[in-house]
Amino acid sequence: MTRPRNDTLLRALLREPVEYTPLWLMRQAGRYLPEYCETRKRAGSFMALCKSPQLACEVTLQPLARYDLDAAILFSDILTVPDAMGLGLYFAEGEGPKFERPLRDEWEIRNLAAPDPHDELRYVIDAVAEIRRALDGSVPLIGFSGSPYTLACYMIEGGASDDFRRIKTMLYDRPDLLHHVLGVTAQAVTAYLNAQIGAGAQAVQIFDTWGGSLSHAAYREFSLAYMQEIIAGLTRTHDGERIPVIVFTKGGGLWLEDIAASGCDAVGLDWTIDIGQARARVGKRVALQGNLDPSILFAGPDVVAIEARKVLHSFGPGSGHVFNLGHGISQFTPPEIVTALVETVRVESRSFHGPQSPA
Ligand code: CP3
C-alpha cells in the first residue's frame, strides 16, 4: 500500500472524508511560470522537454515548489500518442501543434496501429517513474491522456481547427472510417494509461477538450462511448490502491449524467455550469472537479478570493470536490495570483469538512 503522505486528492476523488478541499490546476506546469520558460529554453523545444524524463520531471515539480498544491500532474502532452502512431508531431511557433502526416486517405486510416507504450512512448513512462521517485511519497501523481475523439480532431484536421470541418465531414459521410480511427486510438490510450499506472501514476485524467463541439447524439457515439471503453479496460487497482479516473469533457455540462455513468470516479467541469447544480444532478455517484473560470486569475487577489469562495459555497459541505480551474491555466496568468487562490481554498474550505459537516 503506497498512499502518499498527502492523500487528500485521492480521498476526495473517491468521496472519502477530507480535512479541506484539495486543489491542483490543469496545465499547472506551463508558460506562466518563468522557471518553466527557462527549462524549456534549456531543452531547446517543447518536444525535447517532453522527451527528456529528467527535464519533464523538473518542470512537473516546479509548481509544487511554489504553491501548496495537492497533486503533481505528469508533464507531457496529449499529442504524444498520435506522434507515436507515426503522424509526426511538431509545434510551429505561434501556431500550436501540427502533424506532418495527418490522416487524410482511407489507406492511412486502415494502416493505423496502436503503439506499444513501453517502446514508442518509453520516454513518458520513464518520466512517470522518475517523477514518482522525486515526489518521494509527498503528493499523488496524476497521469493523463487525450480522449480518442479529441486526439482524432488533431489527427484528422492536422492541427488546431475553428470548425472541425474535416473530422465532422468524416463523421457524417464516413462514420465507419472515424469509428476505425477511434477504436484504434482507444486501444492505444488504454495501453498508454495502464503503462502510466504501472509506472506509478496514482490517478488518471482523460482530457476530452473537443467532445463539447459535438451534437448530443454524436457526443455519445463518437466521444463518450470510447472513453467508456477505455475506462472499462483500465487497471483500477495498483499496489493495493484504487486508481481514480477523472473524465473532463469541456462543454460537457449538458451531458453530466451520462458522463457520470461512464464508469469514472470523478467528472471535471468547465466554468459554464454551477457546481452545486451539477452536484445535485450526479448525487453520490461521482466526485466533481472544478470549476473556476481561468480568466478570473487576470483579476486582483480580492476578486479571486471572492470567486473561489463562491465555488466552494456552491459545492457545499462534504467530500467529493476537487478544486480546479474550468480549463488550463493561461500563459498570461501572473504567478503571484495563484498563491492567493491556493491559500483561499486551503484555508476557507476547512469549514466545509470535518465532523460537523454531512458527508
Ligand atoms: O497540466 C499539466 O501541467 C500537464 C501538462 C499538459 C500539457 N498539455 C503541457 C503543454 C497537459 C495535460 C496538456 C494537455 C493538452 N495538450 C490538451 C488537453 C487539455 C486542454 O488544454 O484542453 C490539448 C488540447 C493539448 C494540445 C496542445 N499542446 C496545445 C493546444 C498546445 C498549446 C499550443 C500553443 O502554442 O499555445 C500544446 C502545447 C503545450 N502542452 C504547452 C504545455 C505547457 C505549451 C507549449 C510550450 O511550452 O510552448
Side-chain angles (χ1 to χ4, degrees):
M1 308 277 260
T2 49
R3 275 218 174 173
R5 289 189 292 284
N6 175 355
D7 66 350
T8 317
L9 172 89
L10 300 176
R11 282 192 277 144
L13 289 172
L14 298 172
R15 305 181 57 265
E16 296 169 10
V18 290
E19 290 80 48
Y20 62 89
T21 305
L23 176 149
W24 68 279
L25 303 174
M26 288 193 272
R27 291 264 181 108
Q28 63 191 26
R31 285 172 289 185
Y32 74 107
L33 293 177
E35 57 271 33
Y36 167 84
C37 295
E38 196 273 315
T39 309
R40 192 183 79 145
K41 207 157 123 197
R42 212 159 13 99
S45 70
F46 172 70
M47 282 311 287
L49 181 52
C50 288
K51 290 193 173 178
S52 156
Q54 192 225 325
L55 295 179
C57 176
E58 183 179 312
V59 294
T60 299
L61 300 180
Q62 286 171 348
L64 293 141
R66 261 189 195 254
Y67 315 114
D68 204 357
L69 299 164
D70 295 289
I73 177 161
L74 161 69
F75 187 83
S76 189
D77 197 84
I78 61 166
L79 300 178
T80 54
V81 170
D83 184 54
M85 288 163 120
L87 276 69
L89 174 64
Y90 68 100
F91 283 82
E93 201 53 48
E95 285 181 72
K98 285 208 183 324
F99 286 113
E100 281 161 24
R101 294 172 290 281
L103 297 178
R104 291 285 150 83
D105 297 324
E106 182 155 359
W107 67 266
E108 288 168 327
I109 290 173
R110 295 289 171 205
N111 280 336
L112 201 63
D116 176 353
H118 296 286
D119 185 359
E120 285 103 323
L121 291 161
R122 172 96 244 161
Y123 62 94
V124 182
I125 307 311
D126 288 345
V128 171
E130 179 129 359
I131 297 162
R132 266 301 294 276
R133 275 195 296 276
L135 285 171
D136 195 25
S138 53
V139 292
L141 173 62
I142 303 168
F144 71 88
S145 171
S147 74
Y149 185 75
T150 294
L151 295 177
C153 283
Y154 290 95
M155 291 159 79
I156 291 163
E157 299 293 337
S161 170
D162 293 332
D163 57 3
F164 301 105
R165 189 166 48 87
R166 287 176 196 271
I167 190 168
K168 288 205 170 180
T169 303
M170 190 186 290
L171 187 154
Y172 290 112
D173 262 351
R174 289 297 307 274
D176 61 310
L177 275 190
L178 184 55
H179 276 303
H180 183 75
V181 173
L182 295 169
V184 175
T185 307
Q187 278 174 24
V189 168
T190 307
Y192 180 54
L193 287 176
N194 280 337
Q196 290 182 31
I197 293 167
Q202 290 147 300
V204 293
Q205 175 158 321
I206 303 173
F207 283 89
D208 186 27
T209 309
W210 299 121
S213 67
L214 289 168
S215 76
H216 63 102
Y219 174 70
R220 284 163 186 81
E221 181 179 346
F222 294 92
S223 186
L224 188 60
Y226 289 96
M227 293 196 284
Q228 212 161 340
E229 187 181 310
I230 291 164
I231 295 167
L234 289 181
T235 309
R236 298 303 283 275
T237 308
H238 185 74
D239 244 355
E241 295 291 349
R242 179 152 173 101
I243 308 294
V245 179
I246 310 161
V247 170
F248 170 67
T249 291
K250 184 160 176 283
L254 290 166
W255 312 313
L256 194 54
E257 291 83 354
D258 294 303
I259 301 171
S262 66
C264 66
D265 297 279
V267 178
L269 304 174
D270 70 20
W271 62 90
T272 59
I273 185 170
D274 179 278
I275 195 167
Q277 287 175 12
R279 188 184 191 187
R281 283 167 59 192
V282 300
K284 294 182 189 299
R285 274 173 290 169
V286 286
L288 295 173
Q289 176 175 282
N291 68 340
L292 193 78
D293 181 349
S295 302
I296 287 170
L297 299 180
F298 299 139
D302 297 349
V303 176
V304 169
I306 290 166
E307 295 293 331
R309 246 175 248 141
K310 281 188 199 163
V311 174
L312 291 172
H313 277 269
S314 174
F315 185 87
S319 191
H321 182 202
V322 172
F323 202 101
N324 206 315
L325 303 177
H327 197 198
I329 191 167
S330 158
Q331 62 172 306
F332 305 109
T333 306
E336 314 76 53
I337 200 74
V338 176
T339 311
L341 172 67
V342 174
E343 281 174 7
T344 302
V345 173
R346 178 58 63 94
V347 172
E348 310 231 352
S349 68
R350 287 188 188 271
S351 65
F352 293 99
H353 303 281
Q356 70 282 16
S357 56

